[in-house]
Amino acid sequence: MPFKYLHCAYILIHPPSHMRDASFCFLIPGNHDWFDGLHTFMRYICHKSWLGGWFMPQKKSYFALQLPKRWWVFGLDLALHNDIDVYQFKFFAELIQEKVGDNDSVLLVTHEPNWLLDWYWNDVSGKNVSHLICDYLKGRCKLRVAGDLHHYMRHSFVPSDGPVHVQHLLVNGCGGAFLHPTHVFSNFKKMYGTSYETKAAYPSLEDSSRIALGNILKFRKKNWQFDIIGGFIYFVLSFSMFPQCKLDHILQDNTFSGHLWSFFGTVWNVFMHVLEHSYVSMAGATLLLILAIAFVPTKVSRKKRAVIGILHVSSHLAAALILMLLLELGIETCIRHKLLATSGYHTLYEWYRYVESEHFPDPTGLRSRIEQWTFGLYPACIKYLMSAFDVPEVMAVSRSNICKNGMESLSRGGAIIYYASVFIYFWVFSTPVVSLVFGSYLYICINWLHMHFDEAFSSLRIANYKALTRFHIKKDGDLEVFTLAVDKVPKEWKVDPHWEAEPKQPQQLSHHRKFPSKWSAAAAQQEPLNTVKIVDHFVVKTNR
């Protein structure tokens, strides 16, 4: 008796030995199927008879299957409430009392592993399901199966003197769009008064922890869109600190350690200025702090959420102020060495006029006539276009004027031009840093604090580590469980020549063919049939 299940809706395939030509498919809806009130699920599953060659006799969103050797499969629909309603409870309770024998065994399937999620969120859900398992099945539920979390984990009971309501807890959501960590849930120990231990995990706990390091190294590469808002946030945090005119003490020190000490001392002074005098930067930091605290999972106490949020925002604010001072030091150095701010706003245009008159003489006066014919637009357009591209010069000249005469010396248009030129360079400098800081925050949270398991791994967008679980009822009635997995998913596919060459019978179901799949991996070393491996194998003993 093999059957499979996938995420979000589990697919059960049940071909009995005496009906090999008929394959049955049973499904339960996942949380995504309930987003439209189960309309699509009912239309394409319960109101249809066939799906890809599999017969679907199911007419409701939940089901019960009686299998050989006194085995049952219960498929429960938890909807969006992580529990079954009274109608389902009545159906399964009456079925247990009237049909399920004392020595029968039950495999219970739900779309969410509430044993792990309740432990993670410090929550209690599924009270009707718990009542059904503990007070009606009374030890006959040998295995609970769920998905939703995009990994594979099995927790098995630790033998004790107390009652064991469920022997094995299995999660396989490896068909999800991205990978979820396993090491975050390794400390799950207890449910219904029974102790459990982690028996299998895919990827392994060590690999899961190592994969999390990608938040530091690959966050920006995977989430380049984050640069758009990240650079803007850093500019708001440091906006009130532009420009920094008094940086002589940093440049005049004779030793590297002295430079470093003076630099970070200046960073601290700027930080205190933000707290005491800045309006824009302080408002930005306050808003960011509110968002950072709200971003921390609610399972953490309010005090810890506040501490984590303050540390997170402080790291961003410190990084923004350091980048601001580095940019200001770079401009100050160029001004000191007369590389910038030597000829006013239009240095590049003056250089262009010099080269033009020196190497491209105009004895006929053509340029003067063009200037007259265009009413002065010809040189004016070139002048201001070059000013737009000469951002460092504009920034340096504006900075020098502000430092000499104050911000009041600039017109409103001049101030806009200055801050726009600063933003262009500051955004380029800050985008790698903001991604590094945020990626480091996710890494610390996922590996040290075991938080943000969804955000930290969805950001990595890992499409590998796929697995499926197959079950087989042995002749003695025991249930043998295999989990097959592939580490790498092929990115390119081609038509399998064996599939094309195989003779096809009319109305022959694909899974009855020798080569059932039309597609195979373009690279032979990535072919799943060649790379598949067994990551878990165990046997569930039946009641005898």
Side-chain angles (χ1 to χ4, degrees):
M1 188 283 300
F3 60 88
K4 309 173 185 177
Y5 60 93
L6 302 174
H7 177 82
C8 254
Y10 297 85
I11 300 179
L12 303 179
I13 303 169
H14 173 230
S17 58
H18 62 282
M19 296 180 65
R20 286 299 179 188
D21 292 334
S23 296
F24 294 87
C25 176
F26 296 87
L27 301 90
I28 59 171
N31 52 326
H32 294 268
D33 297 299
W34 270 99
F35 288 169
D36 66 346
L38 214 63
H39 174 76
T40 303
F41 183 88
M42 296 299 294
R43 181 179 180 182
Y44 290 99
I45 302 299
C46 296
H47 297 167
K48 297 289 184 180
S49 299
W50 293 88
L51 177 67
W54 308 102
F55 179 61
M56 298 185 301
Q58 180 179 345
K59 298 305 176 185
K60 291 189 176 182
S61 62
Y62 53 92
F63 61 86
L65 299 177
Q66 185 175 11
L67 305 179
K69 305 294 182 179
R70 302 198 306 272
W71 274 96
W72 292 79
V73 176
F74 288 178
L76 276 58
D77 176 14
L78 301 184
L80 295 176
H81 308 291
N82 296 325
D83 203 359
I84 57 176
D85 56 26
V86 293
Y87 301 101
Q88 279 191 75
F89 184 87
K90 182 176 182 293
F91 169 79
F92 286 108
E94 292 178 351
L95 181 68
I96 293 170
Q97 293 175 338
E98 299 173 4
K99 299 286 186 179
V100 180
D102 294 338
N103 293 324
D104 289 1
S105 301
V106 175
L107 189 157
L108 194 145
V109 184
T110 57
H111 79 271
E112 278 193 354
N114 64 336
W115 59 91
L116 288 183
L117 296 177
D118 285 353
W119 167 82
Y120 178 84
W121 293 109
N122 296 324
D123 194 11
V124 177
S125 65
K127 293 183 179 180
N128 288 338
V129 176
S130 301
H131 184 35
L132 189 72
I133 293 174
C134 298
D135 300 328
Y136 282 82
L137 287 175
K138 297 179 180 179
R140 286 173 287 182
C141 181
K142 303 298 183 181
L143 178 65
R144 280 198 65 178
V145 181
D148 191 64
L149 295 177
H150 306 163
H151 61 222
Y152 176 83
M153 289 196 79
R154 173 170 65 91
H155 293 86
S156 298
F157 75 105
V158 178
S160 63
D161 296 333
V164 179
H165 298 288
V166 184
Q167 293 184 1
H168 305 277
L169 303 170
L170 189 150
V171 180
N172 188 348
C174 289
F178 59 89
L179 181 67
H180 271 140
T182 55
H183 66 283
V184 172
F185 302 95
S186 60
N187 292 327
F188 167 78
K189 298 295 182 185
K190 208 160 195 176
M191 186 185 74
Y192 302 152
T194 303
S195 297
Y196 292 86
E197 59 183 350
T198 305
K199 288 293 187 180
Y202 180 75
S204 66
L205 305 182
E206 296 77 13
D207 287 344
S208 176
S209 179
R210 174 185 53 80
I211 291 170
L213 187 62
N215 280 287
I216 298 178
L217 305 177
K218 301 177 181 178
F219 181 86
R220 190 188 183 206
K221 179 181 178 181
K222 299 284 187 178
N223 306 276
W224 57 267
Q225 302 92 333
F226 188 74
D227 287 353
I228 299 174
I229 187 173
F232 179 77
I233 291 174
Y234 270 32
F235 182 70
V236 171
L237 292 178
S238 58
F239 175 83
S240 300
M241 299 299 103
F242 285 104
Q244 290 292 311
C245 299
K246 300 178 181 179
L247 301 178
D248 295 346
H249 60 288
I250 299 177
L251 300 173
Q252 290 176 356
D253 208 295
N254 296 325
T255 63
F256 177 76
S257 60
H259 285 300
L260 204 60
W261 182 260
S262 299
F263 178 81
F264 283 104
T266 305
V267 172
W268 175 255
N269 293 334
V270 171
F271 177 74
M272 295 305 297
H273 189 272
V274 169
L275 297 180
E276 296 175 0
H277 304 289
S278 172
Y279 292 102
V280 177
S281 297
M282 191 60 196
T286 303
L287 179 60
L288 187 62
L289 178 61
I290 295 173
L291 295 175
I293 294 176
F295 185 60
V296 179
T298 54
K299 72 167 190 170
V300 182
S301 65
R302 292 183 179 179
K303 184 182 293 184
K304 289 183 178 179
R305 291 177 68 190
V307 171
I308 293 172
I310 290 172
L311 292 176
H312 186 193
V313 172
S314 297
S315 62
H316 282 296
L317 182 58
L321 296 180
I322 289 173
L323 289 172
M324 180 272 300
L325 278 179
L326 289 175
L327 180 60
E328 289 291 287
L329 278 174
I331 299 173
E332 180 72 19
T333 302
C334 291
I335 294 175
R336 281 174 174 267
H337 291 83
K338 300 188 182 302
L339 299 175
L340 292 175
T342 57
S343 304
Y345 285 108
H346 305 294
T347 303
L348 185 62
Y349 178 70
E350 296 297 334
W351 173 83
Y352 161 75
R353 293 296 297 266
Y354 168 77
V355 173
E356 184 184 50
S357 61
E358 185 74 18
H359 299 284
F360 302 97
D362 183 21
T364 62
L366 179 61
R367 282 194 291 268
S368 299
R369 288 197 295 272
I370 294 176
E371 183 177 351
Q372 292 177 355
W373 295 339
T374 59
F375 301 99
L377 292 177
Y378 158 65
C381 289
I382 296 178
K383 181 178 182 179
Y384 289 106
L385 186 62
M386 287 188 170
S387 295
F389 282 96
D390 196 12
V391 175
E393 186 70 23
V394 173
M395 186 165 47
V397 172
S398 300
R399 181 182 182 276
S400 298
N401 291 339
I402 295 172
C403 291
K404 289 180 181 179
N405 306 313
M407 185 62 72
E408 298 79 9
S409 62
L410 286 184
S411 63
R412 181 174 298 178
I416 293 175
I417 292 174
Y418 168 68
Y419 283 113
S421 61
V422 169
F423 173 76
I424 292 173
Y425 272 81
F426 189 77
W427 186 86
V428 173
F429 292 153
S430 62
T431 48
V433 178
V434 64
S435 297
L436 178 64
V437 173
F438 188 73
S440 301
Y441 165 78
L442 290 179
Y443 171 75
I444 292 172
C445 286
I446 191 68
N447 269 18
W448 296 0
L449 306 177
H450 286 182
M451 301 188 315
H452 291 305
F453 76 89
D454 204 15
E455 297 86 351
F457 268 63
S458 62
S459 64
L460 298 177
R461 308 185 185 192
I462 299 173
N464 296 315
Y465 297 97
K466 300 302 183 186
L468 63 88
T469 299
R470 294 182 66 91
F471 302 81
H472 172 67
I473 298 178
K474 302 169 67 176
K475 292 182 179 181
D476 59 3
D478 291 343
L479 183 68
E480 194 170 17
V481 184
F482 299 87
T483 297
L484 311 175
V486 289
D487 292 342
K488 298 289 185 180
V489 176
K491 296 182 178 180
E492 295 182 1
W493 299 84
K494 65 178 181 180
V495 177
D496 187 357
H498 297 97
W499 180 88
E500 290 187 315
E502 181 183 3
K504 299 173 180 62
Q505 303 298 328
Q507 298 183 344
Q508 183 185 22
L509 299 179
S510 61
H511 56 274
H512 289 164
R513 299 170 185 163
K514 184 177 180 180
F515 300 97
S517 177
K518 179 180 180 180
W519 303 98
S520 62
Q525 63 271 21
Q526 292 184 346
E527 173 57 44
L529 292 177
N530 300 330
T531 59
V532 66
K533 60 183 179 181
I534 298 176
V535 295
D536 191 23
H537 173 223
F538 65 102
V539 176
V540 182
K541 298 292 184 180
T542 188
N543 297 323
R544 293 188 176 90

